Amino acid sequence: AQSVTQLGSHVSVSEGALVLLRCNYSSSVPPYLFWYVQYPNQGLQLLLKYTSAATLVKGINGFEAEFKKSETSFHLTKPSAHMRDAAEYFCAVLHSGGYNKLIFGAGTRLAVHP
Amino acid sequence: NAGVTQTPKFQVLKTGQSMTLQCAQDMNHNSMYWYRQDPGMGLRLIYYSASEGTTDKGEVPNGYNVSRLNKREFSLRLESAAPSQTSVYFCASSSNRNRNTEAFFGQGTRLTVV
């Protein structure tokens, strides 16, 4: 069975500081991995996705993630946090059984303070 | 471009009442999904539809029914609402031509069962 684990349900950073949100996956087949962001009272929006083309994936709003097979990780980073980055972030893996079903992690709420 | 549209946005039900959540997408996607979001649990798949005329159970289908009315519309019905179904419900759609295509989400329906 496939799964993702997000370490840390809440992360707090200062504006301008590095953002690091952790995601580890479990998969018996090469995974397709995604990061989504959810702003308050909104739906989910895709930040970036890993599809085996390149291990370092760049997404929107300055975010990027690196796929590390040896560590089964797909951590999300941003060099300098902005206040507008405050949101909930979800890591997800595509179910190997087909039909593009996503399996989500529990989410990490990012707070950015001045 | 409307994307995925859900109605209603908010709903309060009494225990035992029934209701249908509506979802429509205008992206000509084959696959549609219903998820529920609960604090600390991420998003869990309730039902999905790989194509018009087909539906399948996801991770938490008990207490729900679905109907894929046509390619655009996928509704979720609660026949007899229970307090445990208090949640935020998201509809999503994706193209299933490739396995790495992302899902697009609606704005969500916040349901409270009292």
Side-chain angles (χ1 to χ4, degrees), chain A residues 32 34 36 38 41-44 46 49 51 88 90 94-102 104-107, chain B residues 31 33 35 37 40-43 45 48 50 90 94-96 98-103 105-107 110:
Chain A
Y32 291 115
F34 302 79
Y36 281 85
Q38 183 183 31
N41 299 315
Q42 300 279 323
L44 277 71
L46 181 71
K49 62 182 179 181
T51 60
E88 190 155 21
F90 293 94
L94 195 64
H95 188 274
S96 62
Y99 303 124
N100 291 6
K101 293 183 292 182
L102 289 168
F104 285 89
Chain B
S31 298
Y33 315 83
Y35 290 89
Q37 182 182 20
M41 304 188 75
L43 279 77
L45 184 64
Y48 68 98
F90 288 99
S94 70
S95 167
N96 57 9
N98 301 304
R99 281 183 43 75
N100 62 2
T101 56
E102 67 266 29
F105 286 80
Q107 297 291 291
R110 188 174 295 274

mmCIF file of all heavy atoms in Angstrom, chain A residues 32 34 36 38 41-44 46 49 51 88 90 94-102 104-107, chain B residues 31 33 35 37 40-43 45 48 50 90 94-96 98-103 105-107 110:
data_model
loop_
_atom_site.group_PDB
_atom_site.id
_atom_site.type_symbol
_atom_site.label_atom_id
_atom_site.label_comp_id
_atom_site.label_asym_id
_atom_site.label_seq_id
_atom_site.Cartn_x
_atom_site.Cartn_y
_atom_site.Cartn_z
ATOM 1 N N TYR A 32 4.501 8.777 -8.114
ATOM 2 C CA TYR A 32 4.225 10.132 -8.577
ATOM 3 C C TYR A 32 3.801 10.917 -7.341
ATOM 4 O O TYR A 32 2.896 10.509 -6.624
ATOM 5 C CB TYR A 32 3.093 10.152 -9.606
ATOM 6 C CG TYR A 32 3.455 9.531 -10.925
ATOM 7 C CD1 TYR A 32 2.831 8.370 -11.375
ATOM 8 C CD2 TYR A 32 4.435 10.104 -11.744
ATOM 9 C CE1 TYR A 32 3.163 7.796 -12.587
ATOM 10 C CE2 TYR A 32 4.773 9.540 -12.959
ATOM 11 C CZ TYR A 32 4.137 8.385 -13.377
ATOM 12 O OH TYR A 32 4.466 7.816 -14.574
ATOM 13 N N PHE A 34 3.037 14.757 -5.245
ATOM 14 C CA PHE A 34 2.474 16.092 -5.427
ATOM 15 C C PHE A 34 2.542 16.864 -4.108
ATOM 16 O O PHE A 34 2.469 16.286 -3.027
ATOM 17 C CB PHE A 34 0.992 16.006 -5.843
ATOM 18 C CG PHE A 34 0.740 15.227 -7.094
ATOM 19 C CD1 PHE A 34 0.725 13.837 -7.079
ATOM 20 C CD2 PHE A 34 0.501 15.871 -8.299
ATOM 21 C CE1 PHE A 34 0.490 13.098 -8.235
ATOM 22 C CE2 PHE A 34 0.253 15.154 -9.464
ATOM 23 C CZ PHE A 34 0.259 13.769 -9.428
ATOM 24 N N TYR A 36 0.275 20.111 -2.616
ATOM 25 C CA TYR A 36 -0.841 21.026 -2.785
ATOM 26 C C TYR A 36 -0.832 22.034 -1.645
ATOM 27 O O TYR A 36 -0.402 21.726 -0.527
ATOM 28 C CB TYR A 36 -2.175 20.276 -2.753
ATOM 29 C CG TYR A 36 -2.551 19.574 -4.036
ATOM 30 C CD1 TYR A 36 -2.082 18.292 -4.318
ATOM 31 C CD2 TYR A 36 -3.378 20.186 -4.977
ATOM 32 C CE1 TYR A 36 -2.436 17.654 -5.489
ATOM 33 C CE2 TYR A 36 -3.735 19.545 -6.147
ATOM 34 C CZ TYR A 36 -3.262 18.275 -6.397
ATOM 35 O OH TYR A 36 -3.612 17.642 -7.564
ATOM 36 N N GLN A 38 -3.421 24.846 0.476
ATOM 37 C CA GLN A 38 -4.798 25.254 0.744
ATOM 38 C C GLN A 38 -4.781 26.528 1.563
ATOM 39 O O GLN A 38 -4.375 26.522 2.730
ATOM 40 C CB GLN A 38 -5.551 24.153 1.484
ATOM 41 C CG GLN A 38 -7.017 24.483 1.732
ATOM 42 C CD GLN A 38 -7.737 23.407 2.523
ATOM 43 O OE1 GLN A 38 -7.144 22.731 3.350
ATOM 44 N NE2 GLN A 38 -9.022 23.233 2.256
ATOM 45 N N ASN A 41 -10.233 28.769 3.782
ATOM 46 C CA ASN A 41 -11.558 28.719 3.147
ATOM 47 C C ASN A 41 -11.483 28.568 1.625
ATOM 48 O O ASN A 41 -12.358 29.060 0.894
ATOM 49 C CB ASN A 41 -12.367 29.972 3.502
ATOM 50 C CG ASN A 41 -12.588 30.082 4.999
ATOM 51 O OD1 ASN A 41 -12.937 29.101 5.659
ATOM 52 N ND2 ASN A 41 -12.333 31.251 5.550
ATOM 53 N N GLN A 42 -10.443 27.914 1.155
ATOM 54 C CA GLN A 42 -10.278 27.691 -0.279
ATOM 55 C C GLN A 42 -10.142 26.200 -0.554
ATOM 56 O O GLN A 42 -9.956 25.398 0.361
ATOM 57 C CB GLN A 42 -9.019 28.396 -0.782
ATOM 58 C CG GLN A 42 -9.008 29.892 -0.590
ATOM 59 C CD GLN A 42 -9.778 30.600 -1.671
ATOM 60 O OE1 GLN A 42 -9.759 30.215 -2.830
ATOM 61 N NE2 GLN A 42 -10.488 31.644 -1.285
ATOM 62 N N GLY A 43 -10.195 25.853 -1.824
ATOM 63 C CA GLY A 43 -9.889 24.497 -2.231
ATOM 64 C C GLY A 43 -8.387 24.299 -2.302
ATOM 65 O O GLY A 43 -7.613 25.178 -1.925
ATOM 66 N N LEU A 44 -7.963 23.150 -2.795
ATOM 67 C CA LEU A 44 -6.542 22.847 -2.909
ATOM 68 C C LEU A 44 -6.025 23.274 -4.272
ATOM 69 O O LEU A 44 -6.696 23.110 -5.300
ATOM 70 C CB LEU A 44 -6.300 21.347 -2.726
ATOM 71 C CG LEU A 44 -6.207 20.840 -1.289
ATOM 72 C CD1 LEU A 44 -7.551 20.879 -0.605
ATOM 73 C CD2 LEU A 44 -5.634 19.432 -1.258
ATOM 74 N N LEU A 46 -2.520 23.059 -6.816
ATOM 75 C CA LEU A 46 -1.260 22.352 -7.027
ATOM 76 C C LEU A 46 -0.078 23.303 -6.951
ATOM 77 O O LEU A 46 -0.047 24.339 -7.610
ATOM 78 C CB LEU A 46 -1.269 21.669 -8.397
ATOM 79 C CG LEU A 46 -0.016 20.872 -8.729
ATOM 80 C CD1 LEU A 46 0.040 19.605 -7.881
ATOM 81 C CD2 LEU A 46 0.031 20.521 -10.217
ATOM 82 N N LYS A 49 4.700 18.965 -8.859
ATOM 83 C CA LYS A 49 4.554 17.514 -8.926
ATOM 84 C C LYS A 49 5.848 16.867 -9.411
ATOM 85 O O LYS A 49 6.591 17.465 -10.195
ATOM 86 C CB LYS A 49 3.399 17.127 -9.844
ATOM 87 C CG LYS A 49 3.569 17.559 -11.293
ATOM 88 C CD LYS A 49 2.335 17.164 -12.112
ATOM 89 C CE LYS A 49 2.484 17.612 -13.574
ATOM 90 N NZ LYS A 49 1.297 17.273 -14.388
ATOM 91 N N THR A 51 7.305 13.636 -11.429
ATOM 92 C CA THR A 51 6.860 12.583 -12.338
ATOM 93 C C THR A 51 8.024 11.812 -12.918
ATOM 94 O O THR A 51 7.926 11.245 -13.998
ATOM 95 C CB THR A 51 6.020 13.186 -13.475
ATOM 96 O OG1 THR A 51 6.847 14.135 -14.185
ATOM 97 C CG2 THR A 51 4.800 13.880 -12.949
ATOM 98 N N GLU A 88 -2.162 25.826 4.609
ATOM 99 C CA GLU A 88 -1.935 24.418 4.917
ATOM 100 C C GLU A 88 -1.409 23.738 3.663
ATOM 101 O O GLU A 88 -1.899 23.980 2.558
ATOM 102 C CB GLU A 88 -3.202 23.734 5.419
ATOM 103 C CG GLU A 88 -2.944 22.338 5.965
ATOM 104 C CD GLU A 88 -3.984 21.873 6.971
ATOM 105 O OE1 GLU A 88 -5.094 22.421 6.975
ATOM 106 O OE2 GLU A 88 -3.665 20.946 7.751
ATOM 107 N N PHE A 90 -0.253 20.108 1.737
ATOM 108 C CA PHE A 90 -0.498 18.679 1.711
ATOM 109 C C PHE A 90 0.433 18.001 0.708
ATOM 110 O O PHE A 90 0.527 18.438 -0.438
ATOM 111 C CB PHE A 90 -1.939 18.369 1.315
ATOM 112 C CG PHE A 90 -2.964 18.801 2.317
ATOM 113 C CD1 PHE A 90 -3.582 20.029 2.210
ATOM 114 C CD2 PHE A 90 -3.302 17.963 3.364
ATOM 115 C CE1 PHE A 90 -4.529 20.433 3.142
ATOM 116 C CE2 PHE A 90 -4.248 18.350 4.306
ATOM 117 C CZ PHE A 90 -4.855 19.591 4.196
ATOM 118 N N LEU A 94 0.291 9.404 -5.826
ATOM 119 C CA LEU A 94 -0.711 8.851 -6.727
ATOM 120 C C LEU A 94 -0.832 7.356 -6.474
ATOM 121 O O LEU A 94 0.166 6.630 -6.452
ATOM 122 C CB LEU A 94 -0.299 9.114 -8.167
ATOM 123 C CG LEU A 94 -1.366 8.940 -9.233
ATOM 124 C CD1 LEU A 94 -2.486 9.934 -9.046
ATOM 125 C CD2 LEU A 94 -0.745 9.082 -10.609
ATOM 126 N N HIS A 95 -2.062 6.916 -6.298
ATOM 127 C CA HIS A 95 -2.299 5.503 -6.052
ATOM 128 C C HIS A 95 -1.892 4.692 -7.283
ATOM 129 O O HIS A 95 -2.233 5.043 -8.409
ATOM 130 C CB HIS A 95 -3.782 5.289 -5.750
ATOM 131 C CG HIS A 95 -4.133 3.918 -5.293
ATOM 132 N ND1 HIS A 95 -4.408 2.895 -6.171
ATOM 133 C CD2 HIS A 95 -4.252 3.384 -4.054
ATOM 134 C CE1 HIS A 95 -4.683 1.799 -5.485
ATOM 135 N NE2 HIS A 95 -4.597 2.075 -4.202
ATOM 136 N N SER A 96 -1.188 3.604 -7.071
ATOM 137 C CA SER A 96 -0.676 2.821 -8.186
ATOM 138 C C SER A 96 -1.739 2.010 -8.894
ATOM 139 O O SER A 96 -1.507 1.466 -9.961
ATOM 140 C CB SER A 96 0.430 1.890 -7.703
ATOM 141 O OG SER A 96 -0.089 0.970 -6.754
ATOM 142 N N GLY A 97 -2.926 1.931 -8.294
ATOM 143 C CA GLY A 97 -3.981 1.123 -8.875
ATOM 144 C C GLY A 97 -4.686 1.765 -10.058
ATOM 145 O O GLY A 97 -5.554 1.171 -10.661
ATOM 146 N N GLY A 98 -4.346 2.998 -10.355
ATOM 147 C CA GLY A 98 -4.940 3.633 -11.525
ATOM 148 C C GLY A 98 -5.983 4.680 -11.193
ATOM 149 O O GLY A 98 -6.271 4.928 -10.016
ATOM 150 N N TYR A 99 -6.527 5.281 -12.231
ATOM 151 C CA TYR A 99 -7.590 6.270 -12.129
ATOM 152 C C TYR A 99 -7.169 7.519 -11.358
ATOM 153 O O TYR A 99 -8.003 8.259 -10.883
ATOM 154 C CB TYR A 99 -8.846 5.668 -11.497
ATOM 155 C CG TYR A 99 -9.346 4.475 -12.264
ATOM 156 C CD1 TYR A 99 -9.528 3.251 -11.641
ATOM 157 C CD2 TYR A 99 -9.583 4.552 -13.626
ATOM 158 C CE1 TYR A 99 -9.951 2.155 -12.346
ATOM 159 C CE2 TYR A 99 -10.009 3.456 -14.351
ATOM 160 C CZ TYR A 99 -10.194 2.250 -13.699
ATOM 161 O OH TYR A 99 -10.600 1.144 -14.388
ATOM 162 N N ASN A 100 -5.867 7.732 -11.239
ATOM 163 C CA ASN A 100 -5.348 8.989 -10.686
ATOM 164 C C ASN A 100 -5.895 9.326 -9.310
ATOM 165 O O ASN A 100 -6.096 10.494 -8.982
ATOM 166 C CB ASN A 100 -5.623 10.144 -11.655
ATOM 167 C CG ASN A 100 -4.798 10.024 -12.918
ATOM 168 O OD1 ASN A 100 -4.107 9.029 -13.120
ATOM 169 N ND2 ASN A 100 -4.854 11.005 -13.771
ATOM 170 N N LYS A 101 -6.145 8.345 -8.488
ATOM 171 C CA LYS A 101 -6.558 8.618 -7.115
ATOM 172 C C LYS A 101 -5.353 9.086 -6.315
ATOM 173 O O LYS A 101 -4.262 8.532 -6.431
ATOM 174 C CB LYS A 101 -7.118 7.350 -6.462
ATOM 175 C CG LYS A 101 -8.409 6.863 -7.061
ATOM 176 C CD LYS A 101 -8.935 5.653 -6.316
ATOM 177 C CE LYS A 101 -8.042 4.457 -6.520
ATOM 178 N NZ LYS A 101 -8.587 3.255 -5.822
ATOM 179 N N LEU A 102 -5.574 10.098 -5.496
ATOM 180 C CA LEU A 102 -4.512 10.640 -4.659
ATOM 181 C C LEU A 102 -4.658 10.164 -3.219
ATOM 182 O O LEU A 102 -5.763 10.105 -2.682
ATOM 183 C CB LEU A 102 -4.547 12.163 -4.681
ATOM 184 C CG LEU A 102 -4.110 12.836 -5.983
ATOM 185 C CD1 LEU A 102 -4.465 14.306 -5.952
ATOM 186 C CD2 LEU A 102 -2.621 12.638 -6.210
ATOM 187 N N PHE A 104 -3.431 11.323 0.435
ATOM 188 C CA PHE A 104 -2.909 12.538 1.047
ATOM 189 C C PHE A 104 -2.274 12.267 2.399
ATOM 190 O O PHE A 104 -2.679 11.374 3.143
ATOM 191 C CB PHE A 104 -4.032 13.553 1.247
ATOM 192 C CG PHE A 104 -4.460 14.237 -0.013
ATOM 193 C CD1 PHE A 104 -5.451 13.697 -0.816
ATOM 194 C CD2 PHE A 104 -3.863 15.434 -0.404
ATOM 195 C CE1 PHE A 104 -5.843 14.322 -1.980
ATOM 196 C CE2 PHE A 104 -4.253 16.065 -1.576
ATOM 197 C CZ PHE A 104 -5.239 15.516 -2.365
ATOM 198 N N GLY A 105 -1.290 13.124 2.736
ATOM 199 C CA GLY A 105 -0.800 13.184 4.092
ATOM 200 C C GLY A 105 -1.751 14.006 4.950
ATOM 201 O O GLY A 105 -2.734 14.567 4.458
ATOM 202 N N ALA A 106 -1.443 14.082 6.240
ATOM 203 C CA ALA A 106 -2.339 14.754 7.183
ATOM 204 C C ALA A 106 -2.275 16.272 7.082
ATOM 205 O O ALA A 106 -3.140 16.959 7.621
ATOM 206 C CB ALA A 106 -2.024 14.318 8.602
ATOM 207 N N GLY A 107 -1.265 16.785 6.406
ATOM 208 C CA GLY A 107 -1.171 18.225 6.219
ATOM 209 C C GLY A 107 -0.245 18.884 7.231
ATOM 210 O O GLY A 107 -0.059 18.396 8.359
ATOM 211 N N SER B 31 -12.296 11.683 -15.027
ATOM 212 C CA SER B 31 -12.353 11.204 -13.643
ATOM 213 C C SER B 31 -12.816 12.293 -12.685
ATOM 214 O O SER B 31 -12.410 13.446 -12.804
ATOM 215 C CB SER B 31 -10.969 10.705 -13.203
ATOM 216 O OG SER B 31 -10.568 9.622 -14.000
ATOM 217 N N TYR B 33 -13.940 12.891 -8.302
ATOM 218 C CA TYR B 33 -13.687 12.356 -6.960
ATOM 219 C C TYR B 33 -14.437 13.161 -5.910
ATOM 220 O O TYR B 33 -14.633 14.366 -6.075
ATOM 221 C CB TYR B 33 -12.186 12.441 -6.621
ATOM 222 C CG TYR B 33 -11.263 12.004 -7.720
ATOM 223 C CD1 TYR B 33 -10.912 12.878 -8.752
ATOM 224 C CD2 TYR B 33 -10.726 10.722 -7.738
ATOM 225 C CE1 TYR B 33 -10.066 12.478 -9.776
ATOM 226 C CE2 TYR B 33 -9.868 10.324 -8.755
ATOM 227 C CZ TYR B 33 -9.549 11.210 -9.765
ATOM 228 O OH TYR B 33 -8.701 10.807 -10.779
ATOM 229 N N TYR B 35 -13.842 13.862 -1.792
ATOM 230 C CA TYR B 35 -13.003 13.704 -0.612
ATOM 231 C C TYR B 35 -13.681 14.395 0.570
ATOM 232 O O TYR B 35 -14.449 15.339 0.404
ATOM 233 C CB TYR B 35 -11.638 14.369 -0.804
ATOM 234 C CG TYR B 35 -10.702 13.704 -1.782
ATOM 235 C CD1 TYR B 35 -10.718 14.025 -3.136
ATOM 236 C CD2 TYR B 35 -9.764 12.777 -1.338
ATOM 237 C CE1 TYR B 35 -9.839 13.429 -4.030
ATOM 238 C CE2 TYR B 35 -8.878 12.173 -2.226
ATOM 239 C CZ TYR B 35 -8.922 12.508 -3.563
ATOM 240 O OH TYR B 35 -8.046 11.916 -4.439
ATOM 241 N N GLN B 37 -12.425 16.253 4.288
ATOM 242 C CA GLN B 37 -11.257 16.766 5.000
ATOM 243 C C GLN B 37 -11.605 16.956 6.455
ATOM 244 O O GLN B 37 -12.533 17.698 6.789
ATOM 245 C CB GLN B 37 -10.795 18.105 4.409
ATOM 246 C CG GLN B 37 -9.550 18.643 5.087
ATOM 247 C CD GLN B 37 -9.130 19.990 4.540
ATOM 248 O OE1 GLN B 37 -9.920 20.706 3.930
ATOM 249 N NE2 GLN B 37 -7.876 20.336 4.737
ATOM 250 N N GLY B 40 -6.316 17.091 11.048
ATOM 251 C CA GLY B 40 -5.299 16.100 11.385
ATOM 252 C C GLY B 40 -5.341 14.829 10.573
ATOM 253 O O GLY B 40 -4.547 13.920 10.818
ATOM 254 N N MET B 41 -6.248 14.758 9.600
ATOM 255 C CA MET B 41 -6.385 13.522 8.821
ATOM 256 C C MET B 41 -6.214 13.741 7.330
ATOM 257 O O MET B 41 -6.357 12.813 6.541
ATOM 258 C CB MET B 41 -7.744 12.873 9.100
ATOM 259 C CG MET B 41 -7.971 12.595 10.573
ATOM 260 S SD MET B 41 -9.437 11.634 10.902
ATOM 261 C CE MET B 41 -8.893 10.027 10.392
ATOM 262 N N GLY B 42 -5.926 14.947 6.945
ATOM 263 C CA GLY B 42 -5.771 15.204 5.518
ATOM 264 C C GLY B 42 -7.085 15.022 4.777
ATOM 265 O O GLY B 42 -8.162 15.214 5.343
ATOM 266 N N LEU B 43 -6.988 14.649 3.520
ATOM 267 C CA LEU B 43 -8.175 14.383 2.709
ATOM 268 C C LEU B 43 -8.293 12.878 2.499
ATOM 269 O O LEU B 43 -7.313 12.213 2.166
ATOM 270 C CB LEU B 43 -8.074 15.070 1.339
ATOM 271 C CG LEU B 43 -8.436 16.551 1.313
ATOM 272 C CD1 LEU B 43 -7.312 17.394 1.875
ATOM 273 C CD2 LEU B 43 -8.760 16.976 -0.105
ATOM 274 N N LEU B 45 -10.507 9.811 0.507
ATOM 275 C CA LEU B 45 -11.364 9.582 -0.647
ATOM 276 C C LEU B 45 -12.625 8.844 -0.239
ATOM 277 O O LEU B 45 -12.579 7.783 0.389
ATOM 278 C CB LEU B 45 -10.599 8.786 -1.702
ATOM 279 C CG LEU B 45 -11.301 8.537 -3.024
ATOM 280 C CD1 LEU B 45 -11.562 9.844 -3.753
ATOM 281 C CD2 LEU B 45 -10.469 7.600 -3.895
ATOM 282 N N TYR B 48 -15.110 7.650 -6.094
ATOM 283 C CA TYR B 48 -14.594 8.232 -7.315
ATOM 284 C C TYR B 48 -15.306 7.627 -8.510
ATOM 285 O O TYR B 48 -15.958 6.584 -8.414
ATOM 286 C CB TYR B 48 -13.075 8.062 -7.419
ATOM 287 C CG TYR B 48 -12.610 6.635 -7.606
ATOM 288 C CD1 TYR B 48 -12.290 6.140 -8.865
ATOM 289 C CD2 TYR B 48 -12.463 5.789 -6.503
ATOM 290 C CE1 TYR B 48 -11.851 4.835 -9.021
ATOM 291 C CE2 TYR B 48 -12.028 4.491 -6.662
ATOM 292 C CZ TYR B 48 -11.717 4.025 -7.917
ATOM 293 O OH TYR B 48 -11.292 2.725 -8.071
ATOM 294 N N ALA B 50 -14.261 6.913 -12.508
ATOM 295 C CA ALA B 50 -13.212 6.945 -13.526
ATOM 296 C C ALA B 50 -13.734 7.464 -14.854
ATOM 297 O O ALA B 50 -12.970 8.037 -15.642
ATOM 298 C CB ALA B 50 -12.613 5.556 -13.703
ATOM 299 N N PHE B 90 -14.786 18.009 -0.505
ATOM 300 C CA PHE B 90 -14.196 18.538 -1.726
ATOM 301 C C PHE B 90 -14.466 17.606 -2.892
ATOM 302 O O PHE B 90 -14.284 16.392 -2.790
ATOM 303 C CB PHE B 90 -12.689 18.722 -1.587
ATOM 304 C CG PHE B 90 -12.301 19.865 -0.714
ATOM 305 C CD1 PHE B 90 -11.945 19.652 0.606
ATOM 306 C CD2 PHE B 90 -12.309 21.157 -1.211
ATOM 307 C CE1 PHE B 90 -11.589 20.720 1.416
ATOM 308 C CE2 PHE B 90 -11.952 22.225 -0.398
ATOM 309 C CZ PHE B 90 -11.598 22.007 0.918
ATOM 310 N N SER B 94 -9.970 15.087 -12.739
ATOM 311 C CA SER B 94 -8.689 14.990 -13.433
ATOM 312 C C SER B 94 -8.882 14.265 -14.744
ATOM 313 O O SER B 94 -9.837 13.504 -14.924
ATOM 314 C CB SER B 94 -7.648 14.258 -12.576
ATOM 315 O OG SER B 94 -7.971 12.889 -12.458
ATOM 316 N N SER B 95 -7.951 14.510 -15.652
ATOM 317 C CA SER B 95 -7.897 13.750 -16.877
ATOM 318 C C SER B 95 -7.158 12.457 -16.577
ATOM 319 O O SER B 95 -6.160 12.481 -15.869
ATOM 320 C CB SER B 95 -7.150 14.542 -17.945
ATOM 321 O OG SER B 95 -6.837 13.713 -19.027
ATOM 322 N N ASN B 96 -7.613 11.346 -17.067
ATOM 323 C CA ASN B 96 -6.907 10.098 -16.803
ATOM 324 C C ASN B 96 -6.165 9.582 -18.034
ATOM 325 O O ASN B 96 -5.898 8.395 -18.163
ATOM 326 C CB ASN B 96 -7.844 9.027 -16.248
ATOM 327 C CG ASN B 96 -9.010 8.745 -17.167
ATOM 328 O OD1 ASN B 96 -9.047 9.219 -18.303
ATOM 329 N ND2 ASN B 96 -9.956 7.969 -16.699
ATOM 330 N N ASN B 98 -3.080 10.466 -18.718
ATOM 331 C CA ASN B 98 -1.755 10.167 -18.198
ATOM 332 C C ASN B 98 -1.848 10.014 -16.703
ATOM 333 O O ASN B 98 -2.651 10.661 -16.049
ATOM 334 C CB ASN B 98 -0.765 11.298 -18.529
ATOM 335 C CG ASN B 98 -0.635 11.531 -19.999
ATOM 336 O OD1 ASN B 98 -0.320 10.618 -20.747
ATOM 337 N ND2 ASN B 98 -0.899 12.746 -20.420
ATOM 338 N N ARG B 99 -0.969 9.186 -16.150
ATOM 339 C CA ARG B 99 -1.051 8.948 -14.720
ATOM 340 C C ARG B 99 -0.519 10.101 -13.897
ATOM 341 O O ARG B 99 -0.767 10.162 -12.715
ATOM 342 C CB ARG B 99 -0.294 7.670 -14.367
ATOM 343 C CG ARG B 99 -1.086 6.422 -14.670
ATOM 344 C CD ARG B 99 -0.351 5.177 -14.253
ATOM 345 N NE ARG B 99 0.281 5.270 -12.956
ATOM 346 C CZ ARG B 99 -0.351 5.222 -11.798
ATOM 347 N NH1 ARG B 99 -1.659 5.141 -11.765
ATOM 348 N NH2 ARG B 99 0.319 5.311 -10.663
ATOM 349 N N ASN B 100 0.204 11.034 -14.524
ATOM 350 C CA ASN B 100 0.805 12.080 -13.709
ATOM 351 C C ASN B 100 0.035 13.393 -13.762
ATOM 352 O O ASN B 100 0.551 14.419 -13.352
ATOM 353 C CB ASN B 100 2.244 12.320 -14.158
ATOM 354 C CG ASN B 100 2.320 12.791 -15.599
ATOM 355 O OD1 ASN B 100 1.310 12.967 -16.255
ATOM 356 N ND2 ASN B 100 3.528 12.988 -16.094
ATOM 357 N N THR B 101 -1.172 13.373 -14.264
ATOM 358 C CA THR B 101 -1.921 14.623 -14.316
ATOM 359 C C THR B 101 -2.520 14.926 -12.948
ATOM 360 O O THR B 101 -2.983 14.049 -12.241
ATOM 361 C CB THR B 101 -3.052 14.555 -15.346
ATOM 362 O OG1 THR B 101 -3.892 13.446 -15.049
ATOM 363 C CG2 THR B 101 -2.483 14.408 -16.744
ATOM 364 N N GLU B 102 -2.522 16.223 -12.624
ATOM 365 C CA GLU B 102 -2.984 16.600 -11.291
ATOM 366 C C GLU B 102 -4.497 16.676 -11.236
ATOM 367 O O GLU B 102 -5.174 16.771 -12.249
ATOM 368 C CB GLU B 102 -2.393 17.956 -10.889
ATOM 369 C CG GLU B 102 -2.887 19.127 -11.713
ATOM 370 C CD GLU B 102 -1.963 19.428 -12.866
ATOM 371 O OE1 GLU B 102 -1.302 18.485 -13.360
ATOM 372 O OE2 GLU B 102 -1.907 20.598 -13.272
ATOM 373 N N ALA B 103 -5.013 16.664 -10.016
ATOM 374 C CA ALA B 103 -6.433 16.847 -9.784
ATOM 375 C C ALA B 103 -6.717 18.317 -9.523
ATOM 376 O O ALA B 103 -5.901 19.028 -8.932
ATOM 377 C CB ALA B 103 -6.883 16.007 -8.592
ATOM 378 N N PHE B 105 -9.444 20.956 -7.777
ATOM 379 C CA PHE B 105 -10.399 20.894 -6.673
ATOM 380 C C PHE B 105 -11.390 22.043 -6.696
ATOM 381 O O PHE B 105 -11.064 23.157 -7.118
ATOM 382 C CB PHE B 105 -9.648 20.925 -5.332
ATOM 383 C CG PHE B 105 -8.956 19.638 -5.019
ATOM 384 C CD1 PHE B 105 -7.745 19.329 -5.598
ATOM 385 C CD2 PHE B 105 -9.529 18.723 -4.155
ATOM 386 C CE1 PHE B 105 -7.100 18.133 -5.323
ATOM 387 C CE2 PHE B 105 -8.900 17.523 -3.862
ATOM 388 C CZ PHE B 105 -7.690 17.223 -4.454
ATOM 389 N N GLY B 106 -12.599 21.754 -6.215
ATOM 390 C CA GLY B 106 -13.578 22.790 -5.962
ATOM 391 C C GLY B 106 -13.268 23.529 -4.677
ATOM 392 O O GLY B 106 -12.291 23.221 -3.985
ATOM 393 N N GLN B 107 -14.119 24.491 -4.347
ATOM 394 C CA GLN B 107 -13.895 25.341 -3.175
ATOM 395 C C GLN B 107 -14.319 24.689 -1.867
ATOM 396 O O GLN B 107 -14.019 25.191 -0.796
ATOM 397 C CB GLN B 107 -14.646 26.666 -3.348
ATOM 398 C CG GLN B 107 -14.157 27.494 -4.520
ATOM 399 C CD GLN B 107 -12.758 28.037 -4.276
ATOM 400 O OE1 GLN B 107 -12.550 28.896 -3.441
ATOM 401 N NE2 GLN B 107 -11.780 27.531 -5.016
ATOM 402 N N ARG B 110 -18.768 23.080 3.414
ATOM 403 C CA ARG B 110 -18.613 22.880 4.857
ATOM 404 C C ARG B 110 -19.944 22.416 5.421
ATOM 405 O O ARG B 110 -20.914 23.167 5.427
ATOM 406 C CB ARG B 110 -18.158 24.179 5.526
ATOM 407 C CG ARG B 110 -17.782 24.016 6.990
ATOM 408 C CD ARG B 110 -17.197 25.312 7.541
ATOM 409 N NE ARG B 110 -15.944 25.647 6.882
ATOM 410 C CZ ARG B 110 -14.759 25.197 7.240
ATOM 411 N NH1 ARG B 110 -14.642 24.379 8.270
ATOM 412 N NH2 ARG B 110 -13.674 25.571 6.590
#
